[in-house]
Amino acid sequence: MESLLALLSPATNNDQVYQDIIIRTHHERRLVKGHLWAFSNELATVDKSIPPGTVVRLVREFDKKPFALAFYHPNSLISARVISRDIAATIDADFLRQRIAESAARRAFIEPERNAVRLVHSESDLLPGLVIERYDDICTFQIVSAGMEAMKSEIISIIDDLFSPASIIEKNSSHLRTLEGLPEVEAIVKGSKTVATIYDRAGTTMEIDLLSGQKTGGYLDQMDNRTLIRRYVTKSSNVLDLFCNEGGFSLNAALAGAQTVTAVDASKLALARVEANRVLNPNSAEWNLVNADCFEYLKTAEGQYDVVVVDPPSLAKSKKHLKNALQAYLGLHRGSMKLLAPGGVLLTASCSHHFGRTDLHDVVRDAAGTLRRTACILEEHGAGADHPVHAVMPETEYLHFMAVRVF
């Protein structure tokens, strides 16, 4: 253990003086192994005098040796977010610039396939609480930690300098910001352009309004998965796309030759974007755009479909929501399977760490069992390669996507 800590914590002196936060004995082990969060109950004491977002040194209680630098928050369940294991580091604009540049460089192999990519994926890129995405010539960013919020002006300057976008859009509307005591805000911080034209690896073209769009703009985590619908669509296929948003699955289905595409969403704005994107991608499918709550829609929906897509927003934003989420997902899958023709394919996804892969398996199994049908899992995926999973942080694995044949 001592040799590992010595390796992770160079003895070089740092001119910057950071205050110490003591981690209780044994609780430092998880952090030394690579996890980036220290929780409030793992601190020997919670120093309320240190402002949220301040950089601190994390120190082992049993021998008072520092082992990491972290953003500190005295009023959050996540009390410290490790930003560097090098205790000699200076956490400043130059530090962030290097980390962001390295993170973007790791995505170079993705961009020949598509012109929209997540450049920074928070903890998985060792930049806790920061997300940056590029959509052609527009960049969006989201901050969910007080430490990154304190450096927001530097982050904007770095984005502008490294990527030279026409516009930079702040998408700080995540509910996670409230846990850090941060206000929700969406704004253009550079330029005026908000609509980007992007393409996926299958050549599907979409116009995305990044200011009015949900989350960080375009659900890039599903970008590669959306193209997979093409392998299950034939020229006689009838396709139902629930929670269609701006039409990624629908468009890929239509371009694969689907006979009919029914796209359902509660947002009129989203359906307007589907219509615009349909025009951008000439196809022969018969389209039916339905403005409805998908849960309500399934209660009365009729017809038979060869492919059904169920891609709802997160229904379990915390553990306390898990029980209700399970019931909601079960209802969605029962309703969807009722509409599937024998041998049809269900494409289903969940986007919450709290509702994991096993939960999604359980829901598919239980829904099929209730309906006396047989479900066979054909393939499973997570988010794309620009959304890496931190191997020591299961919290970063949130997207689960499955293709299921239902007989």
Side-chain angles (χ1 to χ4, degrees), residues 192-227:
S192 59
K193 186 177 180 181
T194 65
V195 177
T197 301
I198 64 173
Y199 57 84
D200 62 27
R201 64 184 180 183
T204 308
T205 301
M206 295 180 66
E207 278 191 352
I208 304 291
D209 190 321
L210 298 167
L211 187 59
S212 64
Q214 300 177 34
K215 296 180 71 174
T216 48
Y219 292 99
L220 296 184
D221 50 4
Q222 284 279 50
M223 198 164 186
D224 292 339
N225 290 336
R226 289 194 288 258
T227 66

Side-chain angles (χ1 to χ4, degrees), residues 322 326 329-330 333-334 337 348 355-370 375 377 380 402 404:
L322 184 55
L326 284 167
Y329 274 111
L330 188 56
H333 285 75
R334 284 173 180 165
M337 288 184 187
T348 181
F355 188 92
R357 176 174 175 269
T358 300
D359 296 311
L360 192 57
H361 276 231
D362 290 345
V363 162
V364 168
R365 180 195 64 222
D366 292 349
T370 299
I377 298 170
E380 298 183 69
M402 295 166 44
V404 184

